[in-house]
Amino acid sequence: MTIVKEITHYLEQLAPLSYQESYDNAGLIVGNTQTEVTGVLLTLDSTEAVVEEAIAKGCNLIVAHHPIVFKGLKKLNGRNYVERTIIKAIKNDIAIYAIHTNLDHVMGGVNSMIAERLQLQKVRVLAPKSDTLLKLVSFVPTEVTQAVLDALYEAGVGAIGNYDHCSFRVNGTGTFRPNEMANPFIGSAQKDEEVTENRIEVIFPAHLQGKVLNALKQAHPYEEVAYYISALQNLNQEVGAGAVGELPKAMTGDEFLTHLKDTMGLQMIRHTALVSDSIKKVAVCGGAGGFLLNDAIGANADVFVTADYKYHEFFDADGRILICDVGHYESEVYTKELLQRYLSKKFVNFATILSETNTNPVFYRS
Ligand SMILES: [Zn+2]
């Protein structure tokens, strides 16, 4: 049996809640963490129709990209679709979980999925975030340094880009004097002690702090473990908005638009003038990504694929880049397939089903 909490815990390892934007409301919106899961329905939006689909398909957990609740609800009387969806979910014991801007901000998230469909290579985060990394310094007797480092690596420290087990150490002398109450690993009460120790330094993502400190305290032989944790302003190349990569082969503007339409299954693309006849570098951002235009230009992208562009914002292309607005729903609809891939790999004792409800509120007529 699997409970809701095991699924949310797994999803939050992939996309920690601390990576969401301040306005966002990702996480468990409706439901109890201890409920046994009978099935998971994956969707872009949780609407009343999606809750009905979950009931019909025997799924008591909906995992959505967009949170159905963004702002505080002061009344719950079914006056709008948000309230009606929440009421229907609660009445039918359906839990609703949202994995939103936190999934936008990780490698292997929403934007990696768009990059995969467009067959981009050398994909990296377009606008890496700062202030998500911490540095741990600790002082470890020489003979147990490797064992302590191994425990820390296991907890997730020391990963930088394509490298792991990254650390630095310098050897020196640590001093201490235990009192009568102490139970020292080395030395005895009221006697000054000097020990050859390594000062070790490692970096890790801030959301792992609890796990890393537990690992340090478990593996370190001392009764009192000396350590410092400090915040780093470094950019975290694994975390941030948008993605940028390269097409396997340069295309003309026309060829690229056809490629985009085919690989994303689009009915239409709103785009700016074709400014280059060689499209190779492509920046992408699922949903409303206009705020990343300068990052896309700064990364020398030939084209920026995103959604929710307004008339005046198209002028900002200014002959420097091709902006393609593919539609918000269309840019993110494959996110549910990504979630299915993750969940079905990890959990086998319940079904993870792709919702068949088209929640796109926008219709096109040609
Ligand atoms: Zn969105």
mmCIF file of all heavy atoms in Angstrom, residues 44-45 65-66 100 104 286-288 308 328-329 331-332, ligand 1:
data_model
loop_
_atom_site.group_PDB
_atom_site.id
_atom_site.type_symbol
_atom_site.label_atom_id
_atom_site.label_comp_id
_atom_site.label_asym_id
_atom_site.label_seq_id
_atom_site.Cartn_x
_atom_site.Cartn_y
_atom_site.Cartn_z
ATOM 1 N N LEU A 44 -3.055 18.834 -16.258
ATOM 2 C CA LEU A 44 -2.438 20.156 -16.211
ATOM 3 C C LEU A 44 -3.198 21.027 -15.209
ATOM 4 O O LEU A 44 -2.600 21.741 -14.419
ATOM 5 C CB LEU A 44 -2.480 20.783 -17.613
ATOM 6 C CG LEU A 44 -1.645 22.033 -17.823
ATOM 7 C CD1 LEU A 44 -0.181 21.774 -17.516
ATOM 8 C CD2 LEU A 44 -1.798 22.532 -19.253
ATOM 9 N N ASP A 45 -4.527 20.934 -15.251
ATOM 10 C CA ASP A 45 -5.380 21.742 -14.371
ATOM 11 C C ASP A 45 -6.337 20.821 -13.632
ATOM 12 O O ASP A 45 -6.846 19.858 -14.218
ATOM 13 C CB ASP A 45 -6.230 22.715 -15.206
ATOM 14 C CG ASP A 45 -5.391 23.576 -16.112
ATOM 15 O OD1 ASP A 45 -4.777 24.531 -15.616
ATOM 16 O OD2 ASP A 45 -5.330 23.283 -17.324
ATOM 17 N N HIS A 65 -0.428 20.242 -12.539
ATOM 18 C CA HIS A 65 0.653 21.227 -12.631
ATOM 19 C C HIS A 65 0.180 22.537 -11.986
ATOM 20 O O HIS A 65 0.803 23.048 -11.082
ATOM 21 C CB HIS A 65 1.029 21.418 -14.096
ATOM 22 C CG HIS A 65 2.148 22.402 -14.316
ATOM 23 N ND1 HIS A 65 3.322 22.353 -13.607
ATOM 24 C CD2 HIS A 65 2.256 23.464 -15.165
ATOM 25 C CE1 HIS A 65 4.116 23.336 -14.009
ATOM 26 N NE2 HIS A 65 3.491 24.029 -14.944
ATOM 27 N N HIS A 66 -0.942 23.055 -12.426
ATOM 28 C CA HIS A 66 -1.433 24.330 -11.890
ATOM 29 C C HIS A 66 -2.221 24.125 -10.594
ATOM 30 O O HIS A 66 -3.126 23.295 -10.555
ATOM 31 C CB HIS A 66 -2.351 25.012 -12.916
ATOM 32 C CG HIS A 66 -1.644 25.409 -14.167
ATOM 33 N ND1 HIS A 66 -2.153 25.176 -15.422
ATOM 34 C CD2 HIS A 66 -0.456 26.009 -14.363
ATOM 35 C CE1 HIS A 66 -1.306 25.627 -16.333
ATOM 36 N NE2 HIS A 66 -0.266 26.135 -15.718
ATOM 37 N N HIS A 100 4.016 22.928 -9.360
ATOM 38 C CA HIS A 100 3.925 24.031 -10.307
ATOM 39 C C HIS A 100 5.277 24.676 -10.585
ATOM 40 O O HIS A 100 6.131 24.072 -11.241
ATOM 41 C CB HIS A 100 2.878 25.033 -9.785
ATOM 42 C CG HIS A 100 2.508 26.083 -10.766
ATOM 43 N ND1 HIS A 100 2.149 27.356 -10.388
ATOM 44 C CD2 HIS A 100 2.470 26.074 -12.119
ATOM 45 C CE1 HIS A 100 1.886 28.059 -11.468
ATOM 46 N NE2 HIS A 100 2.077 27.310 -12.533
ATOM 47 N N ASP A 104 8.777 23.870 -12.725
ATOM 48 C CA ASP A 104 9.333 24.720 -13.792
ATOM 49 C C ASP A 104 10.824 24.961 -13.564
ATOM 50 O O ASP A 104 11.561 25.261 -14.494
ATOM 51 C CB ASP A 104 8.671 26.114 -13.777
ATOM 52 C CG ASP A 104 7.227 26.080 -14.245
ATOM 53 O OD1 ASP A 104 6.889 25.229 -15.070
ATOM 54 O OD2 ASP A 104 6.436 26.934 -13.789
ATOM 55 N N GLY A 286 7.913 27.033 -20.497
ATOM 56 C CA GLY A 286 6.501 26.656 -20.457
ATOM 57 C C GLY A 286 5.699 27.737 -19.759
ATOM 58 O O GLY A 286 6.156 28.347 -18.807
ATOM 59 N N GLY A 287 4.481 27.994 -20.255
ATOM 60 C CA GLY A 287 3.627 29.014 -19.642
ATOM 61 C C GLY A 287 4.103 30.415 -19.980
ATOM 62 O O GLY A 287 4.770 30.631 -21.003
ATOM 63 N N ALA A 288 3.767 31.363 -19.122
ATOM 64 C CA ALA A 288 4.065 32.776 -19.389
ATOM 65 C C ALA A 288 5.536 33.055 -19.130
ATOM 66 O O ALA A 288 5.949 33.245 -17.998
ATOM 67 C CB ALA A 288 3.198 33.652 -18.493
ATOM 68 N N ASP A 308 1.594 33.119 -23.685
ATOM 69 C CA ASP A 308 0.981 34.268 -22.993
ATOM 70 C C ASP A 308 1.600 35.614 -23.361
ATOM 71 O O ASP A 308 1.687 36.518 -22.531
ATOM 72 C CB ASP A 308 1.047 34.095 -21.467
ATOM 73 C CG ASP A 308 0.067 33.042 -20.973
ATOM 74 O OD1 ASP A 308 -0.693 32.515 -21.804
ATOM 75 O OD2 ASP A 308 0.069 32.751 -19.768
ATOM 76 N N HIS A 328 -0.478 28.647 -23.778
ATOM 77 C CA HIS A 328 -0.078 28.216 -22.437
ATOM 78 C C HIS A 328 -0.331 26.714 -22.240
ATOM 79 O O HIS A 328 0.560 25.959 -21.834
ATOM 80 C CB HIS A 328 -0.871 29.041 -21.410
ATOM 81 C CG HIS A 328 -0.349 28.971 -20.023
ATOM 82 N ND1 HIS A 328 -0.048 30.075 -19.280
ATOM 83 C CD2 HIS A 328 -0.075 27.903 -19.228
ATOM 84 C CE1 HIS A 328 0.397 29.700 -18.089
ATOM 85 N NE2 HIS A 328 0.379 28.392 -18.030
ATOM 86 N N TYR A 329 -1.540 26.305 -22.567
ATOM 87 C CA TYR A 329 -1.901 24.880 -22.408
ATOM 88 C C TYR A 329 -0.968 24.007 -23.248
ATOM 89 O O TYR A 329 -0.416 23.016 -22.769
ATOM 90 C CB TYR A 329 -3.360 24.687 -22.839
ATOM 91 C CG TYR A 329 -3.871 23.278 -22.730
ATOM 92 C CD1 TYR A 329 -4.407 22.805 -21.534
ATOM 93 C CD2 TYR A 329 -3.845 22.407 -23.827
ATOM 94 C CE1 TYR A 329 -4.884 21.505 -21.427
ATOM 95 C CE2 TYR A 329 -4.318 21.112 -23.729
ATOM 96 C CZ TYR A 329 -4.842 20.670 -22.531
ATOM 97 O OH TYR A 329 -5.317 19.388 -22.423
ATOM 98 N N SER A 331 1.975 24.555 -24.327
ATOM 99 C CA SER A 331 3.393 24.524 -23.912
ATOM 100 C C SER A 331 3.608 23.585 -22.726
ATOM 101 O O SER A 331 4.719 23.125 -22.500
ATOM 102 C CB SER A 331 3.876 25.938 -23.563
ATOM 103 O OG SER A 331 3.304 26.377 -22.342
ATOM 104 N N GLU A 332 2.526 23.323 -21.969
ATOM 105 C CA GLU A 332 2.712 22.564 -20.727
ATOM 106 C C GLU A 332 1.951 21.245 -20.678
ATOM 107 O O GLU A 332 2.072 20.511 -19.699
ATOM 108 C CB GLU A 332 2.269 23.423 -19.532
ATOM 109 C CG GLU A 332 3.103 24.668 -19.386
ATOM 110 C CD GLU A 332 2.720 25.509 -18.176
ATOM 111 O OE1 GLU A 332 1.537 25.491 -17.790
ATOM 112 O OE2 GLU A 332 3.600 26.173 -17.634
HETATM 113 ZN ZN ZN B 1 1.278 27.128 -16.603
#
